[in-house]
Amino acid sequence: MPTTRLLALLSFALLAACASQPKQNVTVEKQSECPLQLHEGQNLTVTLPSNPTTGYRWAIQDSAGGILRKVSPEVYSNPEDTGLVGSGGFSTWRFQAFAKGTGRLLLTYQQPWAPEEAPVKAFDCSITVN
């Protein structure tokens, strides 16, 4: 087989292998995007609407610790930067899938000083890591 033809076949094989790899980063912003299927090594970014000036905060109740590892603390940002005091923004967490299995990522939105009160929002996501 001529060298040019062999190189072309190897190039196509390499491109096909790259195309079949899962995305390294997965971002979730809504409950409707769950349940999730991840692969070992993939990064998961969860971004939820938040407004800490109201006294409400997101808290991780179940971190799917057997399959996910938190790789950054919660980061709050206000991308619109309206200049208004009390305007809302987003809280973001980053995780990495490190082991095969299933788990639950549960975050609740409530006032930390009133744990007996029911959360006003919840993000409950079933996750499977292959």
Side-chain angles (χ1 to χ4, degrees):
M1 184 180 291
T3 307
T4 308
R5 188 176 277 173
L6 181 59
L7 284 174
L9 286 173
L10 288 173
S11 297
F12 285 124
L14 184 59
L15 285 173
C18 290
S20 66
Q21 295 295 318
K23 293 187 302 185
Q24 183 62 26
N25 299 307
V26 175
T27 300
V28 176
E29 297 177 343
K30 295 179 262 184
Q31 179 74 48
S32 62
E33 297 175 278
C34 294
L36 288 176
Q37 295 260 339
L38 301 174
H39 295 278
E40 279 186 85
Q42 273 188 306
N43 297 314
L44 171 63
T45 302
V46 177
T47 301
L48 300 171
S50 181
N51 190 344
T53 63
T54 63
Y56 287 87
R57 297 292 311 246
W58 285 102
I60 298 175
Q61 303 298 329
D62 191 341
S63 65
I67 60 171
L68 292 181
R69 176 182 305 124
K70 192 164 89 165
V71 294
S72 75
E74 173 187 5
V75 175
Y76 175 77
S77 62
N78 184 344
E80 295 177 14
D81 196 17
T82 61
L84 298 174
V85 174
S87 61
F90 297 93
S91 289
T92 301
W93 299 261
R94 288 182 176 78
F95 302 88
Q96 184 178 48
F98 73 93
K100 293 180 181 182
T102 58
R104 175 185 190 200
L105 183 59
L106 174 63
L107 291 90
T108 56
Y109 192 66
Q110 63 190 106
Q111 294 173 322
W113 60 84
E116 70 284 351
E117 296 292 323
V120 294
K121 296 182 205 175
F123 176 82
D124 192 355
C125 192
S126 176
I127 299 174
T128 302
V129 177
N130 299 319

